[in-house]
Coordinates of all heavy atoms in Angstrom, one line a residue:
Chain A
K53 N 8.8 -2.5 21.8 CA 10.2 -2.3 21.6 C 10.6 -2.6 20.2 O 11.4 -1.9 19.6 CB 11.0 -3.4 22.5 CG 11.8 -2.7 23.6 CD 12.6 -3.8 24.3 CE 12.4 -3.7 25.8 NZ 12.7 -4.8 26.5
Y70 N 2.7 4.4 22.0 CA 1.6 3.9 22.9 C 0.3 4.6 22.5 O -0.7 3.9 22.4 CB 2.0 4.2 24.3 CG 2.9 3.1 25.0 CD1 4.3 3.4 25.2 CD2 2.4 1.9 25.4 CE1 5.1 2.4 25.7 CE2 3.2 1.0 26.0 CZ 4.6 1.2 26.1 OH 5.4 0.3 26.7
D90 N 5.5 -9.9 29.8 CA 5.1 -8.7 30.5 C 4.9 -7.4 29.7 O 4.9 -6.3 30.2 CB 6.1 -8.5 31.7 CG 7.5 -8.5 31.3 OD1 7.8 -8.7 30.1 OD2 8.4 -8.2 32.1
Y91 N 4.9 -7.6 28.4 CA 4.6 -6.5 27.5 C 3.7 -7.0 26.4 O 3.6 -8.3 26.2 CB 5.8 -6.0 26.9 CG 6.8 -7.0 26.4 CD1 6.7 -7.4 25.1 CD2 7.8 -7.5 27.2 CE1 7.6 -8.4 24.6 CE2 8.8 -8.4 26.7 CZ 8.6 -8.9 25.4 OH 9.4 -9.9 25.0
A92 N 3.0 -6.1 25.8 CA 2.0 -6.5 24.8 C 2.5 -6.5 23.4 O 3.5 -5.8 23.2 CB 0.8 -5.6 25.0
Chain C
dA21 P 15.4 -2.7 33.0 OP1 16.2 -3.7 32.1 OP2 15.7 -1.3 33.0 O5' 13.9 -3.0 32.8 C5' 13.3 -4.2 33.1 C4' 11.8 -4.2 32.8 O4' 11.1 -3.4 33.7 C3' 11.6 -3.4 31.4 O3' 10.7 -4.3 30.7 C2' 11.0 -2.1 31.8 C1' 10.3 -2.4 33.1 N9 10.3 -1.3 34.1 C8 11.4 -0.5 34.4 N7 11.0 0.4 35.3 C5 9.7 0.1 35.6 C6 8.7 0.7 36.4 N6 9.0 1.7 37.3 N1 7.5 0.3 36.5 C2 7.2 -0.8 35.7 N3 8.0 -1.5 34.8 C4 9.2 -0.9 34.8
dT22 P 10.2 -3.8 29.2 OP1 10.2 -5.0 28.4 OP2 11.1 -2.7 28.8 O5' 8.8 -3.3 29.5 C5' 7.8 -4.1 30.2 C4' 6.6 -3.3 30.4 O4' 6.9 -2.3 31.4 C3' 6.0 -2.6 29.3 O3' 4.7 -2.9 29.1 C2' 6.2 -1.1 29.6 C1' 6.2 -1.2 31.1 N1 6.8 0.0 31.9 C2 6.1 0.7 32.8 O2 4.9 0.4 33.1 N3 6.8 1.7 33.4 C4 8.1 2.1 33.2 O4 8.6 3.0 33.8 C5 8.7 1.3 32.2 C7 10.2 1.6 31.9 C6 8.1 0.3 31.6
dT23 P 3.8 -2.5 27.9 OP1 2.8 -3.6 27.7 OP2 4.6 -2.1 26.8 O5' 3.0 -1.3 28.5 C5' 2.2 -1.5 29.6 C4' 1.8 -0.1 30.1 O4' 2.9 0.6 30.6 C3' 1.1 0.8 29.1 O3' -0.3 1.0 29.6 C2' 1.9 2.1 29.1 C1' 2.6 2.0 30.5 N1 3.9 2.7 30.6 C2 4.0 3.7 31.7 O2 3.0 4.0 32.4 N3 5.2 4.3 31.7 C4 6.3 4.1 30.9 O4 7.3 4.7 31.1 C5 6.1 3.1 29.9 C7 7.2 2.7 29.0 C6 4.9 2.4 29.9
Chain D
dA30 P 7.4 13.3 39.5 OP1 7.0 14.3 40.6 OP2 8.6 12.5 39.6 O5' 6.1 12.3 39.4 C5' 4.9 12.8 39.0 C4' 4.0 11.7 38.6 O4' 4.5 11.0 37.5 C3' 3.8 10.7 39.7 O3' 2.4 10.4 39.9 C2' 4.6 9.4 39.2 C1' 4.4 9.6 37.7 N9 5.4 9.0 36.9 C8 6.8 9.2 37.0 N7 7.5 8.4 36.1 C5 6.5 7.8 35.3 C6 6.6 6.9 34.2 N6 7.8 6.6 33.6 N1 5.4 6.5 33.7 C2 4.2 6.9 34.3 N3 4.1 7.7 35.3 C4 5.3 8.1 35.8
dA31 P 1.8 9.6 41.2 OP1 0.8 10.4 41.7 OP2 3.0 9.2 42.1 O5' 1.3 8.3 40.5 C5' 0.5 8.4 39.3 C4' 0.5 7.0 38.7 O4' 1.7 6.7 38.0 C3' 0.3 5.9 39.7 O3' -0.8 5.1 39.2 C2' 1.6 5.1 39.6 C1' 2.0 5.4 38.2 N9 3.5 5.3 38.0 C8 4.5 5.9 38.7 N7 5.7 5.6 38.2 C5 5.4 4.8 37.1 C6 6.3 4.2 36.2 N6 7.6 4.3 36.2 N1 5.7 3.4 35.3 C2 4.4 3.3 35.2 N3 3.4 3.8 36.0 C4 4.1 4.6 37.0
dT32 P -1.4 4.1 40.2 OP1 -2.9 4.2 40.0 OP2 -0.8 4.1 41.5 O5' -1.1 2.7 39.6 C5' -1.3 2.5 38.2 C4' -0.4 1.3 37.8 O4' 1.0 1.7 37.7 C3' -0.4 0.1 38.7 O3' -1.0 -1.0 37.9 C2' 1.0 -0.2 39.0 C1' 1.8 0.6 37.9 N1 3.1 1.0 38.2 C2 4.1 0.6 37.4 O2 4.0 -0.1 36.4 N3 5.4 1.0 37.7 C4 5.8 1.9 38.7 O4 6.9 2.2 38.9 C5 4.6 2.3 39.6 C7 4.9 3.2 40.7 C6 3.4 1.9 39.3

Side-chain angles (χ1 to χ4, degrees):
Chain A
K53 247 187 232 163
Y70 275 102
D90 51 356
Y91 46 86

